[in-house]
Amino acid sequence: MSRLKTILLVATWDLMKLRNQKVFVAMRLAWFTVQVLVFARAISYIVTRTVENYTGGVEYYYFYILGVYTTLLYSTSIARGYMVAEEFDDGIVEYHLSLPVKRSTLAIGRVLGGGVSTLIFTLPMMIIVYTVLRVRDPVIVAISLASALVFSAGVVSLVILLVFTIKSTDLTDIIVGAIDALLVRLSTVFYPLPVIASTGIAPYYVAATLNPISHMSDFLRILVFPEYYLVAPYGPLASILYLVGFSMGLLLLAIEFYEKKLETGGWR
């Protein structure tokens, strides 16, 4: 219980940062609302109706906005993990490491705090999307929130690993930005996997199939529209197992870095 309390205390460090981001959250929510209600609808009119043959009959507008929410969840998780790099410059990480707290506890607390703060930040956006989709089943909402937390924790762990490995704010910014751009575009956020397969570009299809963003977005689609399962090469169970393995594996690596590879006393 003592360790659990410590983990929760460390997690609150990231949660407290949300207090100073009320204006940013409001602006991001306003932009997301316009993106979902205006731009996404316009794009769905541009896309030919035959695309629904590749989505199991799911309207492309609904397919698209679930992908947009996933990208928001991903980019917000990236930003939460990247805050660790900024804390290195401010000397905050060194202060944390000087506390009488196990490094594994610090790692778990930071990942949990980053994941929960991401979930809270993106919760209003999920409400907008699920309102548009007319999702009223509390079980679906609960599973969506749990999967979003698991996914976010994995992405936060990934960024923390990069931060501790690179130990350079500028270089971390470049690499994280490149990974962000590549993973989003090599996923099923905008295009169904059958469409990607029809391009005949095998590396593109393989990357999309192994992409955690693809599994997260497609899991939400199957959860809300079970008929999408007809065209998805993997089922909801496979996707959730993939996401859990993705997050747990990266979390264990983050703990390893905290305990053995992170040297106190300097960022560079």
Side-chain angles (χ1 to χ4, degrees):
M1 289 299 296
S2 177
R3 188 180 185 188
L4 178 60
K5 290 181 179 179
T6 304
I7 290 174
L8 295 176
L9 182 62
V10 174
T12 57
W13 172 263
D14 291 282
L15 296 177
M16 290 176 62
K17 296 176 183 178
L18 291 173
R19 296 180 180 180
N20 302 324
Q21 297 180 326
K22 295 178 181 178
V23 176
F24 179 71
V25 172
M27 293 175 61
R28 192 68 184 88
L29 177 60
W31 170 246
F32 184 82
T33 303
V34 173
Q35 187 177 12
V36 167
L37 299 181
V38 180
F39 295 127
R41 181 61 73 179
I43 291 173
S44 68
Y45 284 134
I46 295 173
V47 175
T48 175
R49 291 291 181 181
T50 57
V51 75
E52 293 181 8
N53 295 329
Y54 298 99
T55 60
V58 178
E59 185 179 338
Y60 182 75
Y61 173 65
Y62 298 146
F63 174 92
Y64 181 79
I65 62 176
L66 283 170
V68 169
Y69 167 73
T70 304
T71 59
L72 174 68
L73 186 67
Y74 172 71
S75 61
T76 305
S77 302
I78 289 283
R80 292 292 156 186
Y82 183 72
M83 286 182 179
V84 177
E86 297 175 343
E87 291 178 357
F88 258 110
D89 283 338
D90 297 334
I92 296 176
V93 170
E94 281 118 347
Y95 165 70
H96 285 168
L97 293 173
S98 69
L99 297 174
V101 178
K102 290 184 178 179
R103 293 186 178 183
S104 60
T105 302
L106 279 173
I108 296 172
R110 294 309 304 272
V111 170
L112 179 63
V116 173
S117 60
T118 297
L119 189 63
I120 294 174
F121 184 95
T122 58
L123 183 59
M125 293 70 164
M126 175 183 281
I127 292 174
I128 290 175
V129 171
Y130 277 22
T131 299
V132 173
L133 298 176
R134 299 182 180 88
V135 176
R136 299 183 178 88
D137 190 338
V139 176
I140 292 179
V141 174
I143 295 175
S144 299
L145 291 172
S147 60
L149 179 59
V150 170
F151 174 75
S152 177
V155 177
V156 171
S157 298
L158 172 63
V159 178
I160 288 177
L161 284 172
L162 291 174
V163 169
F164 289 158
T165 301
I166 301 170
K167 293 188 177 183
S168 168
T169 307
D170 295 335
L171 187 56
T172 300
D173 192 17
I174 295 171
I175 294 178
V176 168
I179 293 175
D180 188 357
L182 283 174
L183 284 182
V184 169
R185 285 156 180 80
L186 296 176
S187 71
T188 60
V189 166
F190 306 116
Y191 315 108
L193 265 177
V195 172
I196 296 175
S198 66
T199 63
I201 306 175
Y204 183 17
Y205 179 80
V206 172
T209 304
L210 299 178
N211 196 324
I213 300 178
S214 296
H215 282 271
M216 182 63 199
S217 57
D218 284 344
F219 176 76
L220 293 178
R221 287 163 182 151
I222 296 174
L223 192 63
V224 178
F225 301 104
E227 59 269 30
Y228 184 72
Y229 175 72
L230 297 174
V231 296
Y234 36 72
L237 180 59
S239 290
I240 200 64
L241 289 176
Y242 177 94
L243 292 173
V244 171
F246 167 77
S247 297
M248 290 301 297
L250 290 174
L251 175 59
L252 291 175
L253 286 175
I255 293 174
E256 176 74 14
F257 269 58
Y258 254 106
E259 289 184 330
K260 297 181 179 179
K261 296 186 178 181
L262 180 63
E263 297 180 357
T264 59
W267 164 245
R268 294 178 177 82

